[in-house]
Amino acid sequence: MNDSGDAWGFDTGAPWIAPYASSASRVAAKVTQGISVSEALTGESASIALAAGPLRFVPGDSAPPGEAYEAFIHRTASVPTRDNLHDFFNGLVWLHYPETKRRLNELQAAEIAQAGIGATRGPLRDALTLFDENGAVFIGPKPLWDALRARDWPSLFVKHRSLWREARLLVFGHALLEKLTAPRKAATAHVLIAPGEMTSNTLDDATIAASLQSAHLATKPFTPLPVLGVPGWCVQNENFSFYDDSEVFRPRRDAERSPT
């Protein structure tokens, strides 16, 4: 365990973990003492309720054979949780954004109930999974949004760099949070383009949950963002040659259109 108090050696002071830092330290400290991840997370979730009852985290093999993961959560209010970083971060997102996670689960469960589990998820479930695993939410001035959607990286990160003081980026996807425990330049979030203006300055749970509308999500309304390009998120990006790497900061192809 390091000075951050975590069980796996990641930095709870990293900017992408900031929204989750207090719970991350507490839960990781319990895991270090020999408590399972599911037990440690359940100890933090007493005030969270789903339609089926109070939210609980249960061992990873708790769902009966043949029942889909999301369907099991919806039916039992229990989240199967393994003793690994991936599920640790999934639990942290549940603790801090329960309305958004509940909304994702309800939409997934409804699709499963209607169509069952097939070889492919379909466009809505694909989008829900993408956001859940790798999504992010961004608020900021219009010039930053315009540059992000155009993948105009010099404008986004250099020309309009000072505007990032007025912006916020929330890493929501738990798989992306896991990847960022060992940050690599190519780590890329899929930023949600909401159906209307994201006007909240706090990126609060209710606002994010309300933006998750089925018809809009089915269009895959996301745009990529290499997160280590964010000012203040990587010391190397203070040298603007950082952004010259075209394998990471790729221009939008002519055939690609930014979602509306």
Side-chain angles (χ1 to χ4, degrees), residues 165-213:
R165 299 191 194 100
E166 305 169 42
R168 278 197 62 202
L169 178 70
L170 167 70
V171 175
F172 181 89
H174 56 277
L176 181 56
L177 287 167
E178 180 190 13
K179 291 175 187 175
L180 287 169
T181 60
R184 296 180 60 188
K185 189 175 183 178
T188 299
H190 287 78
V191 175
L192 175 68
I193 299 175
E197 291 294 324
M198 188 77 77
T199 57
S200 171
N201 289 324
T202 60
L203 291 179
D204 64 277
D205 190 19
T207 299
I208 300 171
S211 73
L212 300 177
Q213 300 176 15

Side-chain angles (χ1 to χ4, degrees), residues 94-241:
W94 267 108
L95 296 179
H96 286 265
Y97 295 94
E99 290 187 47
T100 303
K101 290 287 280 187
R102 181 171 58 223
R103 174 66 173 161
L104 290 169
N105 176 248
E106 288 171 348
L107 292 172
Q108 287 272 22
E111 284 292 293
I112 291 168
Q114 178 179 344
I117 299 294
T120 59
R121 290 190 180 99
L124 176 55
R125 290 195 64 216
D126 274 347
L128 293 167
T129 301
L130 181 63
F131 183 65
D132 195 25
E133 296 277 347
N134 214 58
V137 184
F138 174 77
I139 53 173
K142 187 175 185 298
L144 292 183
W145 261 116
D146 291 345
L148 174 60
R149 294 174 72 155
R151 303 183 202 176
D152 180 355
W153 310 119
S155 292
L156 180 65
F157 293 126
V158 181
K159 179 181 178 181
H160 299 307
R161 195 173 184 86
S162 64
L163 293 180
W164 278 91
R165 299 191 194 100
E166 305 169 42
R168 278 197 62 202
L169 178 70
L170 167 70
V171 175
F172 181 89
H174 56 277
L176 181 56
L177 287 167
E178 180 190 13
K179 291 175 187 175
L180 287 169
T181 60
R184 296 180 60 188
K185 189 175 183 178
T188 299
H190 287 78
V191 175
L192 175 68
I193 299 175
E197 291 294 324
M198 188 77 77
T199 57
S200 171
N201 289 324
T202 60
L203 291 179
D204 64 277
D205 190 19
T207 299
I208 300 171
S211 73
L212 300 177
Q213 300 176 15
S214 297
H216 182 67
L217 285 170
T219 68
K220 287 198 176 176
F222 304 102
T223 191
L225 173 62
V227 295
L228 294 188
V230 175
W233 283 36
C234 176
V235 67
Q236 286 82 6
N237 74 34
E238 294 174 8
N239 182 330
F240 294 160
S241 65

Side-chain angles (χ1 to χ4, degrees), residues 66-78:
E67 184 169 17
Y69 170 83
E70 296 287 353
F72 176 77
I73 294 173
H74 188 259
R75 179 175 66 83
T76 66
S78 300

